[in-house]
Amino acid sequence: MMLTTRSGPRAAVLLLLLTATATAAEKSSKIRLNTVGYLPGHPKQATIAAACRTFQVIHAIDHSKVFEGEVTGPIDDLDTGERVHIADFSALNQPGTYRLRVEGLEDSAPFRIAADVYLAPFVLVTRGMFLWRCGTAVRGEHSGDVFEHAACHLEDGWLDVVEGRHERRDGVGGWHDAGDYNKYTVNAGITVGSMFRAWEDFGPSLRTIRLDIPESSNATPDLLDELRWEVEWLLKMQAADGSAYHKLTTRQFGAFVPPEDEKTPRFFTPWGTAATADLAAILAQASRNLRPNDPAFADRCLASARRAWAFLEAHPNDHRPDLKGFQTGGYQTADPDDRLWAAAELWETTGDAAILRDLERRIVTADARFDVDFDWSEVRNLGLLTYLFSGRPGRDPARIDDVKRNLVTTADSIVAAASEGGYRRPLGRRYYWGCNGSVARQTMILRAAYRVEPRQDYLETSLDALNHLLGRNVYGRSFVTGLGDRPPMHPHDRRSGGDRVPAPWPGYLVGGPHPTASSWRDDQGDYRTNEIAINWNAALIYAMAAALDADPGRH
Ligand code: 9MR
Ligand code: 9MR
Ligand code: ZN
């Protein structure tokens, strides 16, 4: 709209400035809480970045008071430099839609208290994986917008780099990695591993959830069908000798166009041992989880997993692929943790005693140590958890004790880290590329510890992770597109930037602030803090699956 006023452009500029200031003030909401909501029967807290003594919870619509209390604090939040107070309204369990009110401040964003508060969010973020499908057309509706693209990357991929001849090999399918359309074996590892872990830990809560994907009408649970989409692609990433190609990508990152318009050739790149181990782990895990619904497919997965394992045994040294000529994602990583994970999944699926001995040797070498936070480059936790929760006989009781003890100590350190700051962020003061994904993934450690020692702290801190990502942060905003209050509008995502819909594709967790708590920018150009990625979404899927399972009504 053109602004034409009698006093001319200066007044127009002033008016724009005023509007901008108002918007900025609105953006720094002082009452920060989970803008999606809370589960009855669990703690409920907000962080207030202002001096205050009392607060109220009011009905979102008629503003009638339903709860009041005194805040605690102040706490000096070292990450943000703020002095904050905490409003605790845990005692409010009556389902409804509310806002938090503090005299002198703008009311908080609306939020719900409801037993099903995580159901729609779980569907949204898991459907995010479906919308990431490559090699096929996808379509989704959200809040009145339609998000779609035609079948893409049907030429995947070329063998030039690995075979020295210009020939195609079928690598169609899988999920795009992130804001870019490339496909990387290593990142598929942590992603699929985290989602299968969600299935293995919380299957009974997830089994009947419909995701409205093309396979929804078959007899297989939708979450498993979505996983199978990626597993089918991984099968194609295995070379004849059992090794795995490290990635299938363009040479440079492409433009912000819809995926079907990206016609630049994509190449298989050389193999690596981390990629091969991750492929072995996933296919072994897929084999046992998909067996009840498709035994023939399960056999294929297991045969491939075994071939990958045999290749690894014949190539005991860490081998990183030579990726020269490619500027796309690196995902280069040391392989000991990947091998440990592969051993764990293969043993769990087959019961092979030699693999168990190998696995336990690796656990000793790693001091049975859990990583307090982990992403694509650290998959040891996945292996340790599979080992710990196995129902198979034959494990060394001393090893089991080591792993248990380490798990509980690690969970304790996460609880302690959450307690230090004003926002109960389980990752404490660590901020790096993709840290939002790590916050979500910490719930895996917390929920595992809760299984071993049912301390309420573990359960509640895993919900704190979600509270933080959905608005209890310095921005008072949700970090997930299409969800909660003032979610990211400009993620680094080629589909969102390349289509005509103003809203971004929904259901995606952005990487998050770094190097400091306040360095996130909702700007498409800022791929360091505002990109989306399958590994981070998978962690969020786990966290939300865990929250579905935490609904006290379910037990
Ligand atoms: O768009 C790319 C994003 O998907 C990657 O995560 C990121 C880091 O590897 O790189 C982005 O690409 C940028 C490139 O590295 C530098 N030039 C600008 C590109 C953004 O379009
Ligand atoms: O998640 C990756 C992060 O740990 C790295 O620091 C970063 C830079 O190498 O790359 C991230 O992964 C990107 C990948 O390389 C390309 N696709 C997008 C990924 C998310 O930004
Ligand atoms: Zn594609």
Side-chain angles (χ1 to χ4, degrees):
M1 181 186 72
M2 275 291 288
L3 263 177
T4 46
T5 65
R6 202 136 27 102
S7 25
R10 273 188 65 191
V13 167
L14 193 67
L15 189 65
L16 277 174
L17 275 177
L18 284 173
T19 323
T21 317
T23 319
E26 205 179 86
K27 277 195 170 128
S28 59
S29 160
K30 298 287 184 213
I31 307 177
R32 294 149 190 178
L33 42 67
N34 182 333
T35 67
V36 170
Y38 296 84
L39 291 168
H42 288 282
K44 302 169 198 71
Q45 293 184 337
T47 299
I48 303 163
C52 55
R53 279 191 41 238
T54 60
F55 70 96
Q56 299 182 352
V57 180
I58 57 172
H59 268 295
I61 308 293
D62 67 15
H63 289 192
S64 61
K65 181 175 82 185
V66 293
F67 188 89
E68 66 188 327
E70 288 189 3
V71 301
T72 57
I75 299 173
D76 285 315
D77 185 68
L78 297 174
D79 294 0
T80 60
E82 298 164 319
R83 173 157 286 195
V84 302
H85 290 81
I86 309 299
D88 192 312
F89 48 104
S90 304
L92 177 61
N93 289 309
Q94 178 65 37
T97 304
Y98 307 104
R99 291 176 193 269
L100 206 116
R101 174 167 283 180
V102 172
E103 208 185 291
L105 303 181
E106 208 184 308
D107 288 345
S108 80
F111 63 90
R112 291 173 70 218
I113 293 179
D116 71 351
V117 84
Y118 284 110
L119 183 56
F122 173 84
V123 171
L124 184 76
V125 303
T126 311
R127 271 185 59 79
M129 306 309 287
F130 161 68
L131 293 176
W132 250 318
R133 286 188 188 185
C134 181
T136 187
V138 300
R139 184 179 193 282
E141 286 180 44
H142 186 70
S143 293
D145 287 318
V146 174
F147 301 89
E148 59 188 334
H149 71 68
C152 54
H153 302 114
L154 297 171
E155 273 200 355
D156 278 354
W158 294 98
L159 286 167
D160 304 42
V161 179
V162 291
E163 298 277 329
R165 55 172 197 277
H166 190 61
E167 212 171 87
R168 269 196 63 221
R169 169 196 159 96
D170 178 17
V172 174
W175 298 316
H176 298 133
D177 184 60
D180 62 312
Y181 296 138
N182 299 298
K183 302 188 287 204
Y184 308 86
T185 308
V186 167
N187 202 36
I190 184 75
T191 302
V192 175
S194 300
M195 288 171 67
F196 270 130
R197 189 82 243 158
W199 175 255
E200 293 183 333
D201 289 353
F202 310 115
S205 298
L206 309 177
R207 171 171 294 284
T208 59
I209 295 181
R210 264 188 72 110
L211 299 175
D212 277 313
I213 55 177
E215 300 82 7
S216 281
S217 55
N218 71 14
T220 306
D222 283 2
L223 180 61
L224 293 182
D225 275 325
E226 194 50 50
L227 277 159
R228 179 173 173 153
W229 181 265
E230 181 77 346
V231 168
E232 300 253 20
W233 170 72
L234 276 155
L235 287 166
K236 302 178 181 181
M237 290 303 282
Q238 186 171 42
D241 62 3
S243 70
Y245 300 114
H246 187 74
K247 60 182 183 178
L248 173 42
T249 80
T250 50
R251 289 197 179 268
Q252 267 102 36
F253 283 115
F256 275 66
V257 297
E260 66 271 29
D261 294 347
E262 184 179 81
K263 305 286 191 196
T264 337
R266 313 211 301 176
F267 302 92
F268 288 90
T269 71
W271 65 280
T273 41
T276 305
D278 292 350
L279 179 139
I282 294 170
L283 293 179
Q285 206 177 14
S287 174
R288 66 172 182 272
N289 285 297
L290 301 179
R291 182 164 297 281
N293 292 92
D294 191 342
F297 186 68
D299 288 344
R300 262 183 72 202
C301 289
L302 185 53
S304 285
R306 284 188 192 279
R307 280 195 293 124
W309 183 251
F311 181 91
L312 290 168
E313 289 196 310
H315 298 79
N317 297 327
D318 187 351
H319 175 84
R320 317 266 171 101
D322 175 1
L323 301 177
K324 74 172 172 310
F326 287 88
Q327 260 99 61
T328 52
Y331 291 121
Q332 293 270 26
T333 169
D335 77 5
D337 55 312
D338 306 79
R339 287 179 189 258
L340 184 154
W341 180 36
E345 301 304 345
L346 268 152
W347 167 67
E348 175 66 354
T349 301
T350 63
D352 184 314
I355 300 183
L356 175 59
R357 278 193 302 278
D358 177 276
L359 169 62
E360 290 187 324
R361 227 175 7 246
R362 292 176 190 280
I363 292 175
V364 173
T365 310
D367 290 331
R369 212 170 23 81
F370 281 84
D371 285 307
V372 85
D373 57 323
F374 60 116
D375 198 350
W376 58 270
S377 62
E378 308 95 2
V379 289
R380 181 173 59 236
N381 289 3
L382 296 176
L384 293 176
L385 291 176
T386 295
Y387 174 77
L388 179 59
F389 294 126
S390 175
R392 287 195 177 277
R395 289 171 301 170
D396 178 347
R399 286 295 78 71
I400 302 178
D401 279 354
D402 286 351
V403 173
K404 259 190 200 162
R405 211 176 21 253
N406 268 282
L407 173 62
V408 168
T409 311
T410 309
D412 287 343
S413 77
I414 296 174
V415 172
S419 316
E420 273 166 24
Y423 293 92
R424 291 203 60 84
R425 181 179 189 262
L427 198 52
R429 310 206 50 202
R430 268 171 283 203
Y431 296 89
Y432 51 80
W433 194 317
C435 56
N436 277 349
S438 297
V439 168
R441 197 173 286 102
Q442 285 184 300
T443 60
M444 210 181 287
I445 299 171
L446 291 162
R447 291 302 298 254
Y450 183 69
R451 240 170 112 173
V452 168
E453 243 181 61
R455 275 183 46 195
Q456 204 62 19
D457 269 358
Y458 298 152
L459 191 58
E460 306 310 355
T461 306
S462 76
L463 294 170
D464 283 330
L466 287 168
N467 295 337
H468 175 73
L469 297 173
L470 298 173
R472 192 180 182 191
N473 54 55
V474 67
Y475 304 97
R477 296 176 61 173
S478 162
F479 281 125
V480 182
T481 60
L483 181 65
D485 193 53
R486 290 174 305 131
M489 291 305 286
H490 311 286
H492 188 81
D493 171 33
R494 281 163 174 74
R495 294 164 307 169
S496 299
D499 69 11
R500 281 153 205 237
V501 185
W505 286 49
Y508 296 109
L509 177 65
V510 297
H514 73 102
T516 74
S518 28
S519 33
W520 172 56
R521 288 188 308 133
D522 184 14
D523 172 353
Q524 178 178 287
D526 190 359
Y527 52 84
R528 294 168 65 266
T529 72
N530 211 31
E531 187 162 5
I532 60 173
I534 54 172
N535 48 322
W536 307 330
N537 249 58
L540 185 60
I541 288 168
Y542 183 93
M544 286 184 176
L548 284 172
D549 181 87
D551 164 11
R554 282 183 177 265
H555 299 293

